[in-house]
Amino acid sequence: MLKLKPVAAAIMAITSINAFADGSVIGEISDASGKLSGAKISIVGANFVTASDKQGKFNLSHLPPGQHTLKIDYLGYQPKEVMINVTDSQEVNLGALQLSYAADSLQEAQAIEEVVALGYMHRGNMLAMNMQKEAHNIKNILSADGIGKLPDRNAAEAVQRMPGISIERDQGEGRFVAVRGLPAQWNSTSINGDRLPTAEEETTSRAVAFDFFPTDMIEMVEVSKAITPDMEGDAIGGNVNFITSRAPDEQIFTINIAAGDSEKAQGGSQSFNVLYGDRSANGRFGYLVNATAWERDWATDNYEPRRAIDDDGIAGVHRLELRDYTGTRTTYGLNASAEYLLDNGLVFAKAMYGTLSDEETHYKHRIRFNKNRVELQEIYNELITQMHGFQIGGEHDLDLNTQLNWQLSTYENTFEYGDIPNKEDNAYYVVKFKQAVEFDDDVGQRNGSDTGSGLVYNTIDGGTDPGREIGSHLPDDWVMDPQQAILADVELYGIDVKERDKIVLQLDLTHAYDSQLELKTGFKYREKERNASFYDKFYGWNEAEYGPTPTMADIADDLGVELKDQPGRSDYLDGDMPLSYHQHFSQVIPVNDLKRWWQQNQHKLTFLPEDSQTVENGGGLNRNFDLNESHTSLYGMATYQLNDELTLLGGIRATHTDTEVDGYVAVENDSGTSVEPEKGSKKYWSVLPSLHLTYELDDLRQVRMALTRTFARPDFGQLSPGATYLEMENQLKSGNPELDPTYSNNFDLMYEHYFDNAGMFSVGYFYKQITDPVFSQTYQGSYRDQSVTVKSPLNGDDAWLHGIEFATNTSLGFISPAMENFGFSFNFTLMDSEMDIPGRGDKVKISRQADELYNFAFYFDNNDFSARVAVNHKGEYIEDHGSNTDLDTYYGDYTSVDATASYYLTDNAMVYLELNNLTDEPLEYYTGSEQRPNQIEYYGLRGQIGIKYDFF
């Protein structure tokens, strides 16, 4: 209770100021389709202005007694004026105020008002632009209508078309969200204002993977590029906030059913979404339930030259991996919300659940040039990510000018493998076969001579093989022989991650001091725990007890099954790459039968500790740790409307982070390896001031400026104290719990021009001065009172990033009235950055920062029929820095073309078509140059058709 005394004192102090001065007016702004956010509400002839919130509600306070004219302005709609009579210390409730779509005549306006709900593309643009226009900071908005007009199926994909936003993909689907080209972990992603816990297969970062969260559950997306003090400050690039639906004002019931197909997969896809909500007869209690299910078969063809650095510093190919993936992904989601209206506010509850299950079959053919063998890995696994959360809260009007909002939440995110090969050994299950071969004399050739390296070199490095035509260096008629391919080993790769925000408590107090000044203060507390376990176990055949190691053919005979072609073998990379690699592929044992083989033969295998990574043998310790962390934030801010043109928002946020990590270190000596527990901790305050300025040149033009300070906490894996000490080399490989957070001082300048028909364009500049970025570095340090060579993440030298953004969105009606139903949107972001890497003399770009992002869409919408073609582009970027530019690894540029169309059969029934990846754009990684590829992956065209029906 002692900790709450300052908060209670603040509440009493603020509410005592002008508690009952003047009067106020409240109401709700809507159109024929629903609530309108971002409407401008003002008093004619006086400096009283506010905007409607996400539920269309507004509160205009400190009005003097008497008669006034209240005006409502909304881009794309006719202005509305209402006469009001204000009484001192009383509240005037205007109820629902409905706006009409802008038109040239009253009769035309009435006609359009009847069908405005059908032009969802136009309405989505209007909602987004009005909210962006009336915001006090630099942000972009995407409404549910805007999401529905694009062929994007998860939360990450929904935002990729907004200015300055990019995504990272997995198997062709969006996963991580990045703002202004910065690493995903340097941005924050949240749902309903709460940053979520993370759990992902191969990363230990703080970035949240949003492929588990379907777009059907999203009401709105806010991308804030300049953070205000009432927002969490760990967002160097910005914050992406997904807002789920709240209880409706009247009964709604919507069903959405779709089916589709994928070019490379042998199966199809099915999705189902149902939305139901209602409100009690007295209007006080409302609820909403939204459930969704989406199952889709997928397949990808993957080409991966794996590289090693030779004695001359050249990256040659030591093995060529030809990967053929097939699988089934299933997404389930549930969003439920309820609220009860009090006399002076409301209380609410929200629950959410999302899961992604990916059952994956993977045939990996590996041509190992430096080992003189060919391998086949048959891989079968199920990856399961689950997120659930619960939130309760309240919004309370303490008096006419003061509001208290609170919320209490808890969230949990988990990742685990499914029951493959069984429940006890659930893991990434790999059965590997190998066959000895002799390669031709081109292996090792560079600049006309044999290097003896056993590597294949690309032509860019003086070798024999073009980057996209790396040969097998085997005879053309060679085929892997199941009679000669012996069992190499069995691998169980296990990961289990659970991160839980046990409690997230937030309190916000807002007080309108007078008609020009609004004060806001509050705090937020989060208690987090993360448990991560990892192992990579290898097993080999026990020849001493069970005789010679079996071949692939022997295992098939033992199981009583016939060898078969892998799914999609005949068209592997067909039309995508010039060489026919599949001619060398062996037939395979069906993966379900290999599950059975493990059950029947596990006792015939022996554990191979020298190849495995477990805690017991000192392997993978930096991925085995338990973390407890708390975040405590206090803030204060003020919004001051100096005059009709200028609004200032300023304040400060202070966040205390307390991290404790329990892990292990391994000490290796002549007697073997001993594993010992190790603890690390870090405490620090982050003080984050900010100032935002909005200057209205007129009703439709404004300039924004922001000066902010933000930060990013080190990733979980970087904080792990896990380490391995190699006594013979006097070397310690470890994490670093003492890492400092990365800070950024940010400057933003933006010009925005809006048009009455809900068109707009904007242009802006941003600059970020970044201190203490984290690098992996080798240095001399101390371990147990002795000097050792340490390989550990460290805070490095400063970096900077700057760029320009441009965005426009408009109908083509300004050209000719006949073009009113056509429109386009276009945005681009150009960026550059610079930082120092220890050991390199040149300046390099920030990891994962692309030089350019752009989106272009052309659409048609006549209220009955809508269609859109959209292009999304992300430029290449460095993923990892090497010792020189030729060894930097890049993510290649990516351009996708998608399309959607819809048609209203009736006022309640809409059919639609969605098409993705029309140009079959591959994902590419490379080292130094596109002529030195590391990975090229093709996904094929995907599409679905569906019907959406509104019962009310």
Side-chain angles (χ1 to χ4, degrees), residues 611-633:
D611 295 328
S612 302
Q613 292 192 67
T614 66
V615 171
E616 292 75 18
N617 71 5
L621 298 186
N622 63 343
R623 298 185 66 176
N624 287 274
F625 61 89
D626 296 317
L627 175 142
N628 288 277
E629 189 172 80
S630 64
H631 310 154
T632 305
S633 298

Side-chain angles (χ1 to χ4, degrees), residues 789-808:
T789 300
V790 181
K791 285 192 173 181
S792 174
L794 284 179
N795 292 108
D797 296 330
D798 295 351
W800 57 260
L801 175 141
H802 71 163
I804 60 173
E805 283 184 356
F806 174 83
T808 185

Side-chain angles (χ1 to χ4, degrees), residues 830-845:
L830 302 178
M831 295 164 289
D832 193 16
S833 66
E834 186 178 283
M835 69 178 185
D836 293 313
I837 294 287
R840 285 184 59 161
D842 59 335
K843 301 289 187 180
V844 301
K845 294 182 182 296

Side-chain angles (χ1 to χ4, degrees), residues 25-30 35 41 52 55-59 70 72 80 82 84 91-99 249:
V25 58
I26 63 173
E28 285 186 3
I29 311 299
S30 64
K35 301 296 185 291
I41 298 96
S52 58
Q55 285 73 50
K57 298 179 181 179
F58 71 90
N59 183 347
L70 182 141
I72 306 166
K80 188 182 188 75
V82 179
I84 59 173
E91 182 178 81
V92 178
N93 189 343
L94 299 179
L97 301 170
Q98 190 171 88
L99 302 185
D249 289 335

Side-chain angles (χ1 to χ4, degrees), residues 733-763:
K733 294 182 179 181
S734 72
N736 185 1
E738 293 298 316
L739 283 174
D740 290 324
T742 299
Y743 289 93
S744 179
N745 297 318
N746 313 299
F747 170 76
D748 291 85
L749 183 66
M750 183 74 70
Y751 171 77
E752 299 171 347
H753 191 142
Y754 298 87
F755 303 99
D756 286 329
N757 65 348
M760 62 84 65
F761 77 85
S762 65
V763 61

Side-chain angles (χ1 to χ4, degrees), residues 879-912:
E879 185 176 48
D880 290 305
H881 293 95
S883 58
N884 57 62
T885 55
D886 283 341
L887 298 180
D888 290 337
T889 57
Y890 284 81
Y891 180 108
D893 58 17
Y894 188 91
T895 305
S896 64
V897 181
D898 309 307
T900 184
S902 63
Y903 179 72
Y904 276 94
L905 301 173
T906 68
D907 288 350
N908 301 86
M910 180 183 76
V911 293
Y912 59 89

Side-chain angles (χ1 to χ4, degrees), residues 529-547:
E529 69 175 12
R530 182 182 176 96
N531 309 109
S533 63
F534 164 84
Y535 63 81
D536 192 6
K537 298 178 181 179
F538 286 84
Y539 298 86
W541 186 261
N542 186 346
E543 290 188 334
E545 293 189 32
Y546 298 101

Side-chain angles (χ1 to χ4, degrees), residues 168-457:
E168 297 177 22
R169 300 173 184 271
D170 177 64
Q171 303 298 354
E173 294 186 12
R175 170 167 282 191
F176 296 107
V177 178
V179 182
R180 287 175 167 172
L182 290 169
Q185 61 268 31
W186 281 11
N187 309 283
S188 66
T189 47
S190 55
I191 291 183
N192 300 318
D194 282 339
R195 185 163 184 171
L196 297 179
T198 66
E200 205 269 335
E201 179 190 16
E202 289 297 344
T203 68
T204 56
S205 80
R206 295 179 184 266
V208 180
F210 271 94
D211 48 1
F212 73 91
F213 202 75
T215 56
D216 296 301
M217 300 172 63
I218 301 170
E219 177 70 19
M220 186 180 300
V221 184
E222 296 177 317
V223 178
S224 296
K225 297 172 181 175
I227 304 301
T228 55
D230 57 346
M231 302 171 63
E232 295 196 60
D234 55 337
I236 290 179
N239 169 259
V240 181
N241 185 32
F242 298 96
I243 300 170
T244 58
S245 301
R246 294 179 63 164
D249 289 335
E250 56 188 19
Q251 188 177 28
I252 58 172
F253 182 27
T254 300
I255 288 179
N256 189 334
I257 302 173
D261 202 359
S262 173
E263 180 182 7
K264 289 189 177 295
Q266 295 185 345
S269 67
Q270 308 84 38
S271 67
F272 175 78
N273 178 265
V274 59
L275 173 68
Y276 184 81
D278 202 357
R279 191 164 288 273
S280 62
N282 62 5
R284 287 187 175 265
F285 176 71
Y287 64 92
L288 177 143
V289 178
N290 185 7
T292 187
W294 179 30
E295 181 180 276
R296 64 275 191 200
D297 290 326
W298 61 272
T300 63
D301 293 343
N302 184 303
Y303 167 89
E304 291 197 21
R306 291 303 181 99
R307 299 182 180 274
I309 311 300
D310 68 11
D311 294 339
D312 297 322
I314 304 299
V317 179
H318 68 92
R319 73 173 184 259
L320 177 62
E321 297 192 353
L322 306 168
R323 304 182 176 195
D324 198 356
Y325 294 87
T326 59
T328 300
R329 287 189 168 186
T330 306
T331 301
Y332 295 108
L334 177 66
N335 171 46
S337 64
E339 65 181 30
Y340 186 82
L341 302 183
L342 308 172
D343 290 338
N344 294 294
L346 61 85
V347 290
F348 66 85
K350 291 186 175 183
M352 58 159 287
Y353 171 80
T355 183
L356 171 64
S357 170
D358 189 358
E359 185 177 349
E360 175 183 293
T361 301
H362 175 191
Y363 297 99
K364 185 189 298 183
H365 301 266
R366 309 206 302 180
I367 304 173
R368 305 199 65 169
F369 302 114
N370 63 339
K371 299 289 186 180
N372 285 317
R373 68 173 184 250
V374 173
E375 298 172 350
L376 167 63
Q377 290 185 342
E378 296 199 41
I379 304 169
Y380 188 33
N381 61 87
E382 182 183 16
L383 298 79
I384 302 172
T385 301
Q386 292 189 76
M387 164 79 78
H388 62 82
F390 183 71
Q391 181 185 84
I392 58 172
E395 302 171 4
H396 307 279
D397 297 324
L398 303 184
D399 57 46
L400 294 181
N401 306 311
T402 309
Q403 185 177 62
L404 175 67
N405 295 343
W406 63 274
Q407 61 185 44
L408 179 65
S409 313
T410 182
Y411 302 95
E412 182 175 291
N413 197 347
T414 62
F415 173 85
E416 63 180 355
Y417 287 108
D419 296 339
I420 299 173
N422 57 40
K423 187 174 183 179
E424 293 74 26
D425 302 308
N426 60 312
Y428 187 87
Y429 176 50
V430 184
V431 181
K432 182 169 66 179
F433 300 94
K434 62 182 180 180
Q435 180 178 343
V437 296
E438 291 293 332
F439 295 109
D440 64 31
D441 293 338
D442 284 342
V443 174
Q445 290 289 322
R446 180 159 56 84
N447 296 323
S449 62
D450 187 359
T451 64
S453 64
L455 305 178
V456 170
Y457 295 95

